[in-house]
Amino acid sequence: MRDYFREMMLIDTHSHIYQPQFNEDRKEMMNRAAQAGVEKIFLPNIDLESMPLMHQLCDDFPEVCYPMMGLHPCDVKSGFEEVLAIMRSKFSDRKYIAVGEIGIDLYWDKTTLDMQIEAFKVQLGWAKELKLPIVIHARESFDEIFSVLDKENDETLRGVFHCFTGNLEQAQKVMAYGNFMMGIGGVLTYEKSGLDKVVQEIPMEYLVLETDSPYLTPKPFRGKRNESSYVKYVCEKLAECKGLSVDEIGRITSSNALKMFAI
Ligand SMILES: [Zn+2]
C-alpha cells in the first residue's frame, strides 16, 4: 500500500458494507478501510430487511459509518406505500444524513416504472421537508429521473447521482440543477466505460468518491467483492484523469462530501 493514503482522508459516500457478504470479515474489512485512509463511510439503505443491519454497523462504528434512509428503486413493488410509511417514521428515531438510495431502475424491471416514479416523488418530498440531500440511483433511467427533477427541483433540493456513468450531456444537466454532485466509483477504472473522458469535463466541485460495495469493484480487483478500502483505486484513477495529485483529489472530494451531507 502506498503511504500517502495514511496521511489523507477519503470518504466512501456510497457503500453497502452492512450486507451479509461481509459477515465473515467485517472487522478486518473496516481495518483495511481505515488503513487506506477512509475515515468516513456513508451507508445507503435498500429495504426493510437491510435497516437493522445498517443501524448495527453505524452503532458499532460511530463517527465512521453514517446511515441514510430510503427505499431502493429495485425494491419498489406493490404495497410499497406501507414500506415507505415505516421508513418515514424512522426519521424521528435517529439521525440520517440523506434520503437514499432512491431513484429509478429500468435495467432490472420496467413493469414497475409507475410505482418507482411515485416512490421517488414521495421520498423527494421527505428530503425537502427534512432538508436532507437525496442519493439517486439511476440505471437506464436518466430521462425518467430528469423529468421528475425538472418539476421538483428547487433551491433547497440537493443530492448526489450515485455511481454516475452518464455522458457529458447528462453530466451538464446534473450540474445545471444547481445543488447536485456526481458519485464516481469503480466504473471509472473500466477501460470501455468512457467515463474517464467525461470526468475530464466535470469541474472537481461536482465530484465525490464512492465504492457501491460489494458491487462494481475497481481494477485491479474487478470481478471480486468490492469494499470501502478500494475507494483509493478510484481516487488514483480520478487523479490520473484530472492531472491532479491523489492528495488533491482526496482533499477536494472529501470536502465536497462533508459539505453535501452536512457533516
Ligand atoms: Zn447502492
Side-chain angles (χ1 to χ4, degrees):
M1 194 207 333
R2 295 166 67 175
D3 268 327
Y4 47 62
F5 285 109
R6 289 177 185 277
E7 309 294 315
M8 63 190 297
M9 170 167 132
L10 292 175
I11 298 182
D12 181 358
T13 62
H14 194 109
S15 197
H16 301 277
I17 48 174
Y18 50 79
Q19 291 282 67
Q21 284 96 326
F22 299 95
N23 283 355
E24 301 299 310
D25 65 340
R26 188 167 281 108
K27 244 203 179 112
E28 292 80 354
M29 183 270 298
M30 289 300 290
N31 279 334
R32 288 193 292 273
Q35 289 286 306
V38 182
E39 289 192 9
K40 295 193 186 300
I41 304 172
F42 301 161
L43 311 179
N45 190 46
I46 299 170
D47 56 14
L48 292 180
E49 283 73 53
S50 64
M51 277 167 25
L53 309 175
M54 178 184 70
H55 289 147
Q56 186 61 53
L57 189 61
C58 292
D59 292 341
D60 291 345
F61 295 90
E63 309 295 314
V64 177
C65 293
Y66 295 79
M68 307 178 197
M69 182 50 67
L71 179 61
H72 193 289
C74 292
D75 292 283
V76 175
K77 35 189 160 266
S78 68
F80 74 92
E81 295 89 345
E82 287 92 275
V83 175
L84 289 183
I86 295 169
M87 289 182 171
R88 179 63 185 84
S89 74
K90 296 288 164 190
F91 284 92
S92 41
D93 296 350
R94 66 186 293 161
K95 189 177 168 359
Y96 295 98
I97 59 163
V99 177
E101 62 183 284
I102 64 175
I104 300 174
D105 187 308
L106 295 178
Y107 175 80
W108 291 107
D109 193 352
K110 288 186 183 62
T111 66
T112 57
L113 177 61
D114 289 348
M115 286 189 276
Q116 290 192 50
I117 291 176
E118 180 57 25
F120 184 39
K121 284 184 181 164
V122 168
Q123 296 179 93
L124 264 173
W126 300 350
K128 287 182 178 179
E129 243 179 279
L130 299 162
K131 300 188 171 46
L132 288 173
I134 54 176
V135 169
I136 301 177
H137 171 109
R139 191 159 184 200
E140 297 191 2
S141 61
F142 271 115
D143 292 345
E144 290 78 5
I145 300 253
F146 287 151
S147 86
V148 173
L149 282 181
D150 285 347
K151 290 192 202 80
E152 300 287 335
N153 190 46
D154 61 20
E155 60 290 342
T156 68
L157 195 65
R158 67 188 206 277
V160 174
F161 277 74
H162 123 74
C163 186
F164 181 81
T165 52
N167 58 32
L168 182 57
E169 202 187 327
Q170 288 159 337
Q172 281 160 344
K173 175 95 178 146
V174 170
M175 292 186 276
Y177 284 128
N179 300 310
F180 282 84
M181 296 180 185
M182 286 158 271
I184 302 299
V187 174
L188 182 65
T189 68
Y190 305 168
E191 268 96 23
K192 287 188 186 135
S193 73
L195 194 57
D196 51 341
K197 306 271 183 314
V198 178
V199 293
Q200 285 170 8
E201 307 298 323
I202 306 175
M204 277 308 300
E205 63 196 273
Y206 293 99
L207 300 176
V208 291
L209 301 178
E210 64 166 73
T211 59
D212 201 18
S213 300
Y215 315 107
L216 298 171
T217 313
K219 281 174 61 181
F221 297 111
R222 190 174 183 181
K224 306 233 169 63
R225 184 191 70 175
N226 201 359
E227 61 174 60
S228 285
S229 68
Y230 296 168
V231 78
K232 68 184 179 184
Y233 298 110
V234 181
C235 183
E236 279 183 322
K237 181 66 186 179
L238 188 58
E240 187 192 310
C241 295
K242 301 296 271 181
L244 291 170
S245 70
V246 167
D247 207 67
E248 277 289 88
I249 297 289
R251 192 182 57 74
I252 300 169
T253 55
S254 296
S255 118
N256 290 346
L258 294 176
K259 191 173 131 214
M260 172 59 73
F261 293 91
I263 285 163

